[in-house]
Amino acid sequence: MSRRVNNFSAGPSTLPQQVLEEAQAEFVEYQGSGMSLIEMSHRGNHFDEVHRDAIEMTRQIFRVPDCFEVLFLQGGATFQFSMVPMNLLRAGKRAGYVNSGSWATGAMTDAKFYGDIYTAWEGKDCGYTRMPQDDELEIQSDTRYLHITSNETIGGVQFTHWPDVDVPLVCDMSSDYMSRAIPWEKFDLVYGGLQKNLGPSGMALVFVRKSVVEDCNTDIGRYMRYAVHAEKNSMFNTPPVFPIYILGKILKWMSEKGGLDVIEREAQEKSNLLYSVIDSSDGYYSCPVERRCRSTMNVVFRLPNDNLEAEFLKQSDAADLLNLKGHRSVGGCRASIYNAMPRTGVTALAEFMVAFRDNNPG
Ligand SMILES: *Cc1c(COP(=O)(O)O)cnc(C)c1O
């Protein structure tokens, strides 16, 4: 038996054990073929079935309407920071960006190369501890889209209420992908890397409205065009075979659990376990994020001082509660509790936090 710790890594991150074991069992020889799935043609019957299943399950579980294309693209979410404006922006149109933290800043940095963009809301002034309210968004004329980051992985800040604006939304959902239902009518494009909720790194799952695909720029290289990938059903070049295969298995695991509604409820319950320890600790633990924007995926918290924080990380490591250190840019602690983090792991952390406070008074 392999040893499995409670891994609170922000990404790549914990995946369902059942999925890892299934993949292991069929890794060397895939379904009687005499070879591994990663050794065979991506145009053959075996991979074709894996590919079609993954697309179908994605549509079914995430309730994706027919007016959206489902695309499997390489380059992670980061490549989408460029690909979105390359395809959607042109002279006379601009894009608004909500700067909610590190990832939104990254998206803006790249978009600047491809078009006219502006900051529709700046979160830096409040230390990226909240998302904007609707009436704080400054949407300019000729706005092609408003770009938002549904969950800031480093800051632990999440849109719990989708912006109500009269321009289409484009959203980076990398770190809360498929953890809740989304209102598709608000979106033109949704993207995210797999490696938080949905699989290994190296691939982005992208949803683009079909009418948008038809109207994308065509003066860019073929790999950069949504229309090329849509026309070839994400088989324009050799697709990321292994991530697609694992994605399919994770979707099956999600479906067996009861689908999106169950996942969404569990995410609420798991994060509430940790926030209630924080809130009932008389200020020993503190979460810098405004209450209405607390993330269900990345729970960030501080201890009374740096020494106690270091001690907390040392002792939690020894208790097999791993990767609780906050991102180096912000410090503190962070528990990433994505879809595959079992409730038992979160309970173990909650109990550890209570005991640590009792044994190490501030
Ligand atoms: C992890 C992450 C990314 C980057 O994903 P890559 O696959 O490494 O490009 C982008 N945005 C958010 C919100 C993330 O959490």
Side-chain angles (χ1 to χ4, degrees):
M1 266 291 275
S2 308
R3 188 175 72 102
R4 299 279 293 166
V5 299
N6 290 305
N7 175 13
F8 296 94
S9 172
S13 42
T14 294
L15 297 178
Q17 185 163 342
Q18 171 194 328
V19 167
L20 300 179
E21 284 170 356
E22 273 180 37
Q24 181 183 44
E26 58 190 24
F27 186 68
V28 176
E29 183 185 5
Y30 187 73
Q31 297 189 357
S33 65
M35 61 184 84
S36 174
L37 185 79
I38 63 167
E39 297 174 306
M40 60 179 68
S41 168
H42 58 290
R43 311 259 175 217
N45 289 341
H46 280 298
F47 185 70
D48 193 52
E49 193 184 333
V50 166
H51 192 80
R52 274 188 293 118
D53 274 1
I55 293 175
E56 222 165 88
M57 297 273 285
T58 298
R59 283 198 178 277
Q60 199 185 317
I61 292 178
F62 214 18
R63 298 178 206 129
V64 185
D66 285 342
C67 57
F68 276 82
E69 298 281 2
V70 178
L71 303 177
F72 298 156
L73 303 178
Q74 298 178 63
T78 303
F79 182 51
Q80 295 306 308
F81 293 169
S82 294
M83 195 166 170
V84 167
M86 268 185 198
N87 277 270
L88 269 59
L89 286 185
R90 59 187 62 143
K93 288 283 179 188
R94 55 177 73 95
Y97 278 70
V98 170
N99 190 10
S100 49
S102 307
W103 290 113
T105 304
M108 295 172 73
T109 302
D110 287 339
K112 285 188 180 116
F113 290 101
Y114 305 103
D116 182 7
I117 72 152
Y118 66 90
T119 306
W121 183 74
E122 179 54 68
K124 197 174 181 183
D125 315 331
C126 68
Y128 300 122
T129 53
R130 65 183 187 88
M131 291 295 186
Q133 308 268 15
D134 285 347
D135 60 8
E136 295 176 293
L137 292 167
E138 290 175 20
I139 311 286
Q140 299 182 4
S141 59
D142 297 316
T143 293
R144 171 65 191 82
Y145 62 83
L146 177 70
H147 182 282
I148 60 173
T149 307
S150 58
N151 182 68
E152 284 285 354
T153 322
I154 292 173
V157 184
Q158 190 173 30
F159 270 105
T160 48
H161 157 85
W162 298 107
D164 221 347
V165 288
D166 53 13
V167 294
L169 296 177
V170 168
C171 186
D172 175 1
M173 286 196 191
S174 296
S175 55
D176 62 357
Y177 234 176
M178 294 208 196
S179 68
R180 51 177 166 167
I182 75 158
W184 291 97
E185 68 280 0
K186 285 180 179 288
F187 296 88
D188 262 5
L189 196 150
V190 167
Y191 67 89
L194 290 194
Q195 72 271 29
K196 277 87 182 199
N197 268 338
L198 296 172
S201 61
M203 188 183 119
L205 172 59
V206 180
F207 301 94
V208 204
R209 192 175 282 282
K210 285 178 178 166
S211 58
V212 171
V213 173
E214 284 160 19
D215 191 38
C216 280
N217 297 330
T218 51
D219 56 348
I220 47 179
R222 293 171 302 157
Y223 196 88
M224 274 83 90
R225 287 184 233 157
Y226 291 117
V228 168
H229 294 287
E231 196 204 322
K232 302 284 187 194
N233 197 25
S234 301
M235 294 273 251
F236 165 62
N237 67 336
T238 317
V241 169
F242 194 72
I244 293 170
Y245 162 72
I246 298 290
L247 168 65
K249 290 212 177 291
I250 288 174
L251 293 168
K252 191 176 117 228
W253 168 83
M254 281 181 71
S255 158
E256 286 166 5
K257 270 177 90 77
L260 210 52
D261 298 336
V262 171
I263 295 274
E264 182 166 0
R265 197 179 63 232
E266 280 190 357
Q268 288 290 349
E269 290 169 357
K270 286 189 294 183
S271 56
N272 281 342
L273 277 172
L274 298 182
Y275 288 122
S276 68
V277 170
I278 293 169
D279 292 341
S280 57
S281 72
D282 289 327
Y284 186 85
Y285 297 108
S286 57
C287 174
V289 180
E290 194 171 293
R291 206 169 270 261
R292 73 180 167 88
C293 308
R294 286 172 166 185
S295 170
T296 56
M297 297 281 117
N298 310 98
V299 178
V300 299
F301 56 95
R302 314 258 2 181
L303 276 83
N305 59 55
D306 290 350
N307 289 343
L308 281 170
E309 243 162 49
E311 189 57 28
F312 179 88
L313 292 170
K314 197 171 117 201
Q315 290 189 25
S316 54
D317 245 42
D320 273 353
L321 301 162
L322 263 59
N323 295 318
L324 287 166
K325 196 172 166 50
H327 190 267
R328 59 189 183 282
S329 61
V330 292
C333 301
R334 170 178 56 172
S336 295
I337 49 171
Y338 299 120
N339 292 350
M341 170 57 67
R343 187 189 303 256
T344 50
V346 179
T347 311
L349 174 57
E351 286 168 359
F352 176 86
M353 288 170 72
V354 171
F356 185 89
R357 178 188 160 216
D358 288 345
N359 299 331
N360 301 271

